[in-house]
């Protein structure tokens, strides 16, 4: 395979990405994904599945600026499924006892459909929490800002509030021991991908030497979303200020119109961010791309930790399972 031929060739950029799990790693290649989890007895259990992307069923959803939202949702759904799978591999004494709702769902739907229902509910609640915490709360605080401030300044302050809330949320997450381990597996994922991109043999020693800060990281994506949101929301709020009759004619308070408009443009923001991140990932030698990627890399000081050798072994195992047979098929 490509990573076993030494480093005679220059480094390249792979489209393979991953996600930290509970005591494991998910890696996604161009045509399949693999999970590698450390069991209580010290062995590594793996699971490989073919990738079925939304854009393959509906080609129009693979068009630039439209593909961002389905790609993001695909990643969320598959990531939640993998996270649930990794939780089920924990020793029984570490697993939570099923509550009455879990038992009721399993009785009426069967174990597999009940698991799918729980994942769906968790996704909905997760998205609702994210929207409430990072969209609605800053939007409400925006309305409390002094009205005599310049409109653009108010939008920038709203964006700053959103970023502060996001950073505070991540900082509090790092105080939780289980999350710290998750972030260490995140670091193992980044280091392993870096090692593979340099055409080095995938060994614990080679991986350990790599940086844990990678420019093509999902955490960076979320930060860029917030920065682009400042620009899009500023323009949108300015446009809405020019047509106050919209709120008057509909008898809806202007503040509510602005909050609803911010929710409506979320798909546009995600679509733009997706394209920006793809461009940055392909041109990280470009000065502008490095400037755009810099805040995300700094953020990874919070969302990644140095992994131990066992975590690196999981990441290597998962990555090897998704490397395509055809050399270069995964090039970014």
């Amino acid at each position: 395979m490509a990573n076993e031929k030494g480093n005679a060739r220059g480094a390249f950029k792979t489209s393979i990405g991953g996600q930290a799990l509970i005591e494991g790693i998910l890696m996604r290649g161009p045509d399949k994904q693999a999970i590698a989890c450390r069991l209580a007895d010290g062995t590594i259990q793996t699971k490989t599945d073919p990738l079925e992307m939304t854009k393959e069923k509906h080609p129009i959803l693979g068009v630039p600026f439209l593909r961002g939202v389905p790609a993001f949702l695909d990643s969320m759904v598959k990531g939640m499924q993998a996270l649930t799978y990794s939780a089920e591999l924990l020793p029984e004494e570490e697993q939570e006892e099923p509550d009455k709702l879990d038992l009721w769902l399993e009785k009426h739907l069967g174990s597999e459909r009940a698991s799918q229902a729980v994942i769906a509910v968790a996704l909905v609640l997760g998205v609702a929490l994210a929207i409430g915490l990072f969209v609605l709360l800053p939007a409400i605080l925006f309305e409390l800002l002094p009205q005599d401030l310049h409109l653009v300044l108010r939008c920038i302050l709203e964006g700053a509030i959103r970023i502060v809330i996001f950073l505070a949320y991540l900082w509090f997450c790092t105080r939780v021991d289980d999350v710290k381990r998750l972030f260490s597996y995140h670091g193992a994922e980044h280091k392993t991908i870096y090692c593979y991109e340099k055409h080095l043999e995938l060994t614990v020693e080679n991986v350990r030497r790599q940086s844990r800060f990678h420019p093509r990281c999902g955490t960076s994506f979320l930060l860029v979303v917030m920065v682009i949101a400042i620009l899009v929301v500023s323009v949108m709020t300015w446009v809405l200020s020019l047509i106050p009759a919209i709120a008057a004619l509909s008898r809806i308070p202007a503040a509510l119109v602005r909050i609803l408009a911010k929710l409506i443009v979320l798909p546009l923001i995600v679509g733009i961010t997706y394209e920006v991140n793809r461009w940055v990932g392909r041109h990280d030698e470009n000065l502008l791309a490095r400037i755009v990627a810099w805040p995300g890399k700094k953020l990874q000081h919070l969302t990644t930790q140095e992994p131990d050798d066992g975590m690196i072994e999981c990441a290597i195992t998962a990555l090897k399972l998704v490397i395509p047979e055809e050399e270069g098929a995964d090039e970014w």
Side-chain angles (χ1 to χ4, degrees), residues 70-118:
F72 178 68
L73 293 177
D74 265 337
S75 179
M76 279 192 64
V77 170
K78 290 177 172 60
M80 182 62 72
Q81 290 171 339
L83 200 59
T84 302
Y85 173 81
S86 67
E88 292 171 349
L89 295 178
L90 288 173
E92 288 188 11
E93 61 271 16
E94 294 184 30
Q95 296 186 28
E96 292 184 1
E97 289 292 325
D99 56 26
K100 291 182 179 180
L101 177 59
D102 291 330
L103 295 173
W104 185 90
L105 287 172
E106 188 167 345
K107 179 181 178 181
H108 290 82
L109 299 177
S111 59
E112 185 175 346
R113 292 182 65 187
S115 178
Q116 292 173 347
V118 170

Short mmCIF file of all heavy atoms in Angstrom, two decimals, residues 70-118:
data_model
loop_
_atom_site.label_atom_id
_atom_site.label_comp_id
_atom_site.label_asym_id
_atom_site.label_seq_id
_atom_site.Cartn_x
_atom_site.Cartn_y
_atom_site.Cartn_z
N PRO A 70 -25.83 18.46 3.02
CA PRO A 70 -25.94 17.00 3.06
C PRO A 70 -24.66 16.31 3.51
O PRO A 70 -24.71 15.29 4.20
CB PRO A 70 -26.29 16.62 1.61
CG PRO A 70 -25.99 17.81 0.77
CD PRO A 70 -26.16 18.98 1.67
N ALA A 71 -23.49 16.86 3.15
CA ALA A 71 -22.23 16.28 3.60
C ALA A 71 -22.10 16.39 5.12
O ALA A 71 -21.67 15.44 5.80
CB ALA A 71 -21.05 16.98 2.92
N PHE A 72 -22.51 17.53 5.66
CA PHE A 72 -22.46 17.75 7.11
C PHE A 72 -23.42 16.80 7.82
O PHE A 72 -23.07 16.18 8.84
CB PHE A 72 -22.81 19.20 7.41
CG PHE A 72 -22.84 19.55 8.88
CD1 PHE A 72 -21.68 19.55 9.62
CD2 PHE A 72 -24.03 19.87 9.50
CE1 PHE A 72 -21.70 19.86 10.98
CE2 PHE A 72 -24.07 20.18 10.85
CZ PHE A 72 -22.90 20.18 11.59
N LEU A 73 -24.64 16.65 7.29
CA LEU A 73 -25.63 15.75 7.90
C LEU A 73 -25.19 14.30 7.79
O LEU A 73 -25.36 13.52 8.74
CB LEU A 73 -26.99 15.96 7.25
CG LEU A 73 -27.66 17.31 7.51
CD1 LEU A 73 -28.97 17.42 6.74
CD2 LEU A 73 -27.90 17.52 9.00
N ASP A 74 -24.64 13.92 6.62
CA ASP A 74 -24.10 12.56 6.46
C ASP A 74 -23.06 12.27 7.53
O ASP A 74 -23.07 11.19 8.16
CB ASP A 74 -23.45 12.41 5.08
CG ASP A 74 -24.40 11.81 4.05
OD1 ASP A 74 -25.37 11.13 4.45
OD2 ASP A 74 -24.20 12.05 2.85
N SER A 75 -22.17 13.21 7.74
CA SER A 75 -21.10 13.04 8.71
C SER A 75 -21.66 12.92 10.12
O SER A 75 -21.21 12.09 10.92
CB SER A 75 -20.14 14.23 8.63
OG SER A 75 -19.11 14.11 9.58
N MET A 76 -22.68 13.73 10.43
CA MET A 76 -23.29 13.69 11.76
C MET A 76 -23.97 12.35 12.02
O MET A 76 -23.80 11.75 13.08
CB MET A 76 -24.32 14.82 11.91
CG MET A 76 -23.73 16.17 12.24
SD MET A 76 -25.02 17.34 12.73
CE MET A 76 -25.65 16.58 14.22
N VAL A 77 -24.75 11.88 11.04
CA VAL A 77 -25.50 10.63 11.21
C VAL A 77 -24.54 9.46 11.38
O VAL A 77 -24.66 8.66 12.32
CB VAL A 77 -26.44 10.39 10.01
CG1 VAL A 77 -27.04 8.99 10.08
CG2 VAL A 77 -27.56 11.43 10.00
N LYS A 78 -23.57 9.34 10.48
CA LYS A 78 -22.63 8.22 10.55
C LYS A 78 -21.75 8.32 11.79
O LYS A 78 -21.39 7.30 12.40
CB LYS A 78 -21.77 8.17 9.28
CG LYS A 78 -22.57 7.76 8.04
CD LYS A 78 -21.73 7.79 6.79
CE LYS A 78 -22.48 7.19 5.60
NZ LYS A 78 -23.72 7.92 5.28
N GLY A 79 -21.43 9.54 12.19
CA GLY A 79 -20.64 9.72 13.40
C GLY A 79 -21.40 9.31 14.65
O GLY A 79 -20.85 8.66 15.55
N MET A 80 -22.69 9.65 14.71
CA MET A 80 -23.51 9.27 15.86
C MET A 80 -23.70 7.76 15.91
O MET A 80 -23.66 7.15 16.99
CB MET A 80 -24.86 9.97 15.78
CG MET A 80 -25.78 9.67 16.97
SD MET A 80 -25.12 10.22 18.55
CE MET A 80 -25.31 12.01 18.37
N GLN A 81 -23.89 7.13 14.76
CA GLN A 81 -24.02 5.67 14.71
C GLN A 81 -22.74 5.00 15.22
O GLN A 81 -22.79 4.03 15.98
CB GLN A 81 -24.33 5.22 13.29
CG GLN A 81 -25.72 5.60 12.81
CD GLN A 81 -25.93 5.34 11.33
OE1 GLN A 81 -24.97 5.25 10.56
NE2 GLN A 81 -27.19 5.24 10.91
N ALA A 82 -21.59 5.53 14.80
CA ALA A 82 -20.31 4.96 15.23
C ALA A 82 -20.10 5.17 16.73
O ALA A 82 -19.59 4.29 17.43
CB ALA A 82 -19.17 5.60 14.44
N LEU A 83 -20.49 6.34 17.23
CA LEU A 83 -20.34 6.64 18.65
C LEU A 83 -21.21 5.69 19.48
O LEU A 83 -20.78 5.19 20.53
CB LEU A 83 -20.74 8.09 18.91
CG LEU A 83 -20.24 8.77 20.18
CD1 LEU A 83 -18.73 8.76 20.24
CD2 LEU A 83 -20.78 10.18 20.27
N THR A 84 -22.42 5.42 19.01
CA THR A 84 -23.31 4.48 19.70
C THR A 84 -22.72 3.08 19.71
O THR A 84 -22.76 2.38 20.72
CB THR A 84 -24.70 4.47 19.02
OG1 THR A 84 -25.24 5.79 19.03
CG2 THR A 84 -25.65 3.53 19.74
N TYR A 85 -22.16 2.69 18.56
CA TYR A 85 -21.53 1.36 18.46
C TYR A 85 -20.38 1.24 19.46
O TYR A 85 -20.24 0.22 20.16
CB TYR A 85 -21.03 1.14 17.04
CG TYR A 85 -20.22 -0.13 16.86
CD1 TYR A 85 -20.84 -1.36 16.71
CD2 TYR A 85 -18.83 -0.08 16.83
CE1 TYR A 85 -20.10 -2.52 16.54
CE2 TYR A 85 -18.08 -1.24 16.66
CZ TYR A 85 -18.72 -2.46 16.52
OH TYR A 85 -17.98 -3.60 16.37
N SER A 86 -19.55 2.29 19.56
CA SER A 86 -18.40 2.23 20.47
C SER A 86 -18.86 2.17 21.92
O SER A 86 -18.22 1.51 22.75
CB SER A 86 -17.47 3.43 20.24
OG SER A 86 -18.10 4.65 20.62
N ALA A 87 -19.96 2.86 22.24
CA ALA A 87 -20.49 2.83 23.61
C ALA A 87 -20.98 1.43 23.99
O ALA A 87 -20.86 1.00 25.13
CB ALA A 87 -21.62 3.84 23.76
N GLU A 88 -21.54 0.73 23.00
CA GLU A 88 -22.06 -0.62 23.25
C GLU A 88 -20.94 -1.63 23.51
O GLU A 88 -21.20 -2.72 24.04
CB GLU A 88 -22.90 -1.09 22.07
CG GLU A 88 -24.20 -0.30 21.90
CD GLU A 88 -24.93 -0.62 20.60
OE1 GLU A 88 -24.31 -1.29 19.75
OE2 GLU A 88 -26.08 -0.19 20.45
N LEU A 89 -19.70 -1.28 23.16
CA LEU A 89 -18.57 -2.18 23.38
C LEU A 89 -17.96 -2.03 24.77
O LEU A 89 -17.09 -2.82 25.15
CB LEU A 89 -17.48 -1.93 22.33
CG LEU A 89 -17.86 -2.24 20.87
CD1 LEU A 89 -16.70 -1.90 19.95
CD2 LEU A 89 -18.27 -3.69 20.69
N LEU A 90 -18.41 -1.03 25.51
CA LEU A 90 -17.89 -0.84 26.87
C LEU A 90 -18.30 -2.02 27.75
O LEU A 90 -19.34 -2.65 27.52
CB LEU A 90 -18.44 0.45 27.47
CG LEU A 90 -17.90 1.77 26.91
CD1 LEU A 90 -18.67 2.94 27.50
CD2 LEU A 90 -16.41 1.93 27.21
N PRO A 91 -17.50 -2.33 28.78
CA PRO A 91 -17.91 -3.37 29.73
C PRO A 91 -19.29 -3.05 30.32
O PRO A 91 -19.63 -1.87 30.49
CB PRO A 91 -16.82 -3.31 30.80
CG PRO A 91 -15.64 -2.70 30.12
CD PRO A 91 -16.20 -1.75 29.11
N GLU A 92 -20.06 -4.07 30.62
CA GLU A 92 -21.44 -3.87 31.09
C GLU A 92 -21.51 -2.97 32.31
O GLU A 92 -22.43 -2.18 32.46
CB GLU A 92 -22.08 -5.23 31.40
CG GLU A 92 -22.41 -6.04 30.17
CD GLU A 92 -23.21 -7.28 30.50
OE1 GLU A 92 -23.69 -7.39 31.65
OE2 GLU A 92 -23.37 -8.14 29.62
N GLU A 93 -20.51 -3.08 33.20
CA GLU A 93 -20.55 -2.27 34.42
C GLU A 93 -20.35 -0.78 34.14
O GLU A 93 -20.68 0.07 34.96
CB GLU A 93 -19.50 -2.74 35.43
CG GLU A 93 -18.06 -2.65 34.96
CD GLU A 93 -17.60 -3.91 34.24
OE1 GLU A 93 -18.46 -4.73 33.83
OE2 GLU A 93 -16.38 -4.07 34.08
N GLU A 94 -19.80 -0.45 32.95
CA GLU A 94 -19.59 0.95 32.59
C GLU A 94 -20.72 1.50 31.73
O GLU A 94 -20.77 2.70 31.47
CB GLU A 94 -18.26 1.11 31.83
CG GLU A 94 -17.04 0.81 32.67
CD GLU A 94 -15.75 1.05 31.92
OE1 GLU A 94 -15.75 1.95 31.03
OE2 GLU A 94 -14.75 0.37 32.19
N GLN A 95 -21.62 0.65 31.28
CA GLN A 95 -22.75 1.10 30.47
C GLN A 95 -23.90 1.54 31.37
O GLN A 95 -24.12 0.98 32.44
CB GLN A 95 -23.22 -0.02 29.54
CG GLN A 95 -22.19 -0.44 28.50
CD GLN A 95 -22.75 -1.43 27.51
OE1 GLN A 95 -23.95 -1.45 27.23
NE2 GLN A 95 -21.88 -2.26 26.95
N GLU A 96 -24.63 2.54 30.90
CA GLU A 96 -25.79 3.01 31.65
C GLU A 96 -26.92 1.99 31.56
O GLU A 96 -27.13 1.36 30.52
CB GLU A 96 -26.27 4.36 31.10
CG GLU A 96 -25.29 5.50 31.34
CD GLU A 96 -25.85 6.83 30.88
OE1 GLU A 96 -27.02 6.84 30.40
OE2 GLU A 96 -25.16 7.84 31.00
N GLU A 97 -27.66 1.86 32.67
CA GLU A 97 -28.83 1.00 32.66
C GLU A 97 -29.89 1.61 31.74
O GLU A 97 -30.13 2.82 31.77
CB GLU A 97 -29.40 0.86 34.08
CG GLU A 97 -28.53 0.01 35.01
CD GLU A 97 -28.52 -1.44 34.59
OE1 GLU A 97 -29.55 -1.94 34.10
OE2 GLU A 97 -27.45 -2.08 34.73
N PRO A 98 -30.56 0.79 30.90
CA PRO A 98 -31.61 1.34 30.03
C PRO A 98 -32.75 1.90 30.85
O PRO A 98 -33.19 1.28 31.83
CB PRO A 98 -32.04 0.11 29.20
CG PRO A 98 -31.62 -1.07 30.00
CD PRO A 98 -30.38 -0.66 30.73
N ASP A 99 -33.24 3.09 30.46
CA ASP A 99 -34.36 3.67 31.19
C ASP A 99 -35.68 3.14 30.63
O ASP A 99 -35.71 2.29 29.73
CB ASP A 99 -34.32 5.20 31.12
CG ASP A 99 -34.29 5.73 29.69
OD1 ASP A 99 -34.78 5.02 28.79
OD2 ASP A 99 -33.77 6.82 29.47
N LYS A 100 -36.79 3.64 31.16
CA LYS A 100 -38.11 3.13 30.76
C LYS A 100 -38.38 3.38 29.28
O LYS A 100 -38.97 2.54 28.61
CB LYS A 100 -39.20 3.79 31.62
CG LYS A 100 -39.17 3.35 33.08
CD LYS A 100 -40.30 4.00 33.87
CE LYS A 100 -40.27 3.55 35.32
NZ LYS A 100 -41.37 4.18 36.10
N LEU A 101 -37.93 4.53 28.77
CA LEU A 101 -38.14 4.83 27.35
C LEU A 101 -37.37 3.85 26.48
O LEU A 101 -37.91 3.34 25.48
CB LEU A 101 -37.70 6.26 27.04
CG LEU A 101 -37.80 6.70 25.57
CD1 LEU A 101 -39.25 6.58 25.08
CD2 LEU A 101 -37.28 8.12 25.38
N ASP A 102 -36.12 3.56 26.84
CA ASP A 102 -35.31 2.60 26.08
C ASP A 102 -35.99 1.23 26.04
O ASP A 102 -36.05 0.58 24.99
CB ASP A 102 -33.92 2.47 26.70
CG ASP A 102 -33.09 3.73 26.52
OD1 ASP A 102 -33.30 4.44 25.51
OD2 ASP A 102 -32.25 4.00 27.38
N LEU A 103 -36.47 0.79 27.20
CA LEU A 103 -37.12 -0.52 27.28
C LEU A 103 -38.41 -0.55 26.47
O LEU A 103 -38.71 -1.55 25.80
CB LEU A 103 -37.41 -0.87 28.75
CG LEU A 103 -36.17 -1.07 29.64
CD1 LEU A 103 -36.58 -1.23 31.10
CD2 LEU A 103 -35.37 -2.29 29.17
N TRP A 104 -39.16 0.56 26.51
CA TRP A 104 -40.43 0.63 25.76
C TRP A 104 -40.15 0.58 24.25
O TRP A 104 -40.82 -0.14 23.51
CB TRP A 104 -41.17 1.92 26.12
CG TRP A 104 -42.53 2.02 25.48
CD1 TRP A 104 -43.71 1.59 25.98
CD2 TRP A 104 -42.82 2.62 24.20
NE1 TRP A 104 -44.73 1.85 25.11
CE2 TRP A 104 -44.23 2.48 24.00
CE3 TRP A 104 -42.06 3.24 23.22
CZ2 TRP A 104 -44.86 2.96 22.85
CZ3 TRP A 104 -42.69 3.71 22.08
CH2 TRP A 104 -44.07 3.57 21.90
N LEU A 105 -39.14 1.33 23.81
CA LEU A 105 -38.80 1.35 22.38
C LEU A 105 -38.33 -0.03 21.92
O LEU A 105 -38.72 -0.49 20.84
CB LEU A 105 -37.69 2.38 22.12
CG LEU A 105 -38.09 3.86 22.19
CD1 LEU A 105 -36.87 4.75 22.11
CD2 LEU A 105 -39.07 4.20 21.07
N GLU A 106 -37.51 -0.70 22.74
CA GLU A 106 -37.02 -2.02 22.35
C GLU A 106 -38.15 -3.03 22.29
O GLU A 106 -38.17 -3.90 21.41
CB GLU A 106 -35.95 -2.47 23.34
CG GLU A 106 -35.25 -3.75 22.91
CD GLU A 106 -34.00 -4.02 23.72
OE1 GLU A 106 -33.52 -3.10 24.41
OE2 GLU A 106 -33.50 -5.16 23.65
N LYS A 107 -39.12 -2.90 23.20
CA LYS A 107 -40.25 -3.83 23.22
C LYS A 107 -41.14 -3.66 22.01
O LYS A 107 -41.62 -4.64 21.42
CB LYS A 107 -41.06 -3.62 24.50
CG LYS A 107 -42.28 -4.53 24.61
CD LYS A 107 -43.04 -4.25 25.90
CE LYS A 107 -44.30 -5.13 25.99
NZ LYS A 107 -45.07 -4.85 27.24
N HIS A 108 -41.38 -2.41 21.59
CA HIS A 108 -42.33 -2.15 20.51
C HIS A 108 -41.68 -2.08 19.13
O HIS A 108 -42.36 -2.26 18.12
CB HIS A 108 -43.08 -0.85 20.80
CG HIS A 108 -44.04 -0.95 21.94
ND1 HIS A 108 -43.65 -0.83 23.25
CD2 HIS A 108 -45.39 -1.18 21.97
CE1 HIS A 108 -44.69 -0.95 24.05
NE2 HIS A 108 -45.76 -1.17 23.30
N LEU A 109 -40.38 -1.79 19.07
CA LEU A 109 -39.73 -1.62 17.77
C LEU A 109 -38.68 -2.68 17.46
O LEU A 109 -38.27 -2.82 16.31
CB LEU A 109 -39.05 -0.23 17.69
CG LEU A 109 -39.96 0.99 17.84
CD1 LEU A 109 -39.12 2.26 17.81
CD2 LEU A 109 -41.03 1.03 16.75
N GLY A 110 -38.26 -3.41 18.49
CA GLY A 110 -37.13 -4.32 18.29
C GLY A 110 -35.83 -3.59 18.58
O GLY A 110 -35.78 -2.35 18.50
N SER A 111 -34.80 -4.33 18.88
CA SER A 111 -33.54 -3.71 19.32
C SER A 111 -32.90 -2.83 18.25
O SER A 111 -32.41 -1.73 18.53
CB SER A 111 -32.55 -4.78 19.77
OG SER A 111 -32.30 -5.68 18.70
N GLU A 112 -32.91 -3.29 16.97
CA GLU A 112 -32.26 -2.52 15.91
C GLU A 112 -33.00 -1.22 15.62
O GLU A 112 -32.40 -0.15 15.56
CB GLU A 112 -32.17 -3.36 14.64
CG GLU A 112 -31.40 -2.67 13.53
CD GLU A 112 -31.20 -3.55 12.31
OE1 GLU A 112 -31.42 -4.77 12.39
OE2 GLU A 112 -30.82 -3.00 11.24
N ARG A 113 -34.32 -1.30 15.45
CA ARG A 113 -35.10 -0.09 15.16
C ARG A 113 -35.12 0.83 16.38
O ARG A 113 -35.18 2.06 16.22
CB ARG A 113 -36.52 -0.47 14.75
CG ARG A 113 -36.57 -1.18 13.38
CD ARG A 113 -38.00 -1.49 12.98
NE ARG A 113 -38.77 -0.28 12.75
CZ ARG A 113 -40.09 -0.27 12.51
NH1 ARG A 113 -40.75 -1.41 12.49
NH2 ARG A 113 -40.71 0.86 12.30
N ALA A 114 -35.10 0.27 17.57
CA ALA A 114 -35.06 1.10 18.77
C ALA A 114 -33.76 1.89 18.82
O ALA A 114 -33.74 3.08 19.16
CB ALA A 114 -35.20 0.23 20.02
N SER A 115 -32.66 1.22 18.45
CA SER A 115 -31.36 1.90 18.42
C SER A 115 -31.37 3.03 17.39
O SER A 115 -30.86 4.13 17.65
CB SER A 115 -30.26 0.89 18.08
OG SER A 115 -29.01 1.52 17.98
N GLN A 116 -31.97 2.78 16.22
CA GLN A 116 -32.07 3.82 15.19
C GLN A 116 -32.91 5.00 15.68
O GLN A 116 -32.58 6.16 15.41
CB GLN A 116 -32.68 3.23 13.92
CG GLN A 116 -31.78 2.21 13.22
CD GLN A 116 -32.47 1.52 12.07
OE1 GLN A 116 -33.69 1.60 11.91
NE2 GLN A 116 -31.70 0.81 11.24
N ALA A 117 -34.00 4.69 16.42
CA ALA A 117 -34.86 5.75 16.94
C ALA A 117 -34.11 6.60 17.96
O ALA A 117 -34.23 7.84 17.96
CB ALA A 117 -36.11 5.14 17.58
N VAL A 118 -33.34 5.95 18.84
CA VAL A 118 -32.56 6.69 19.84
C VAL A 118 -31.53 7.59 19.17
O VAL A 118 -31.34 8.74 19.57
CB VAL A 118 -31.86 5.70 20.81
CG1 VAL A 118 -30.86 6.43 21.70
CG2 VAL A 118 -32.90 4.98 21.67
#
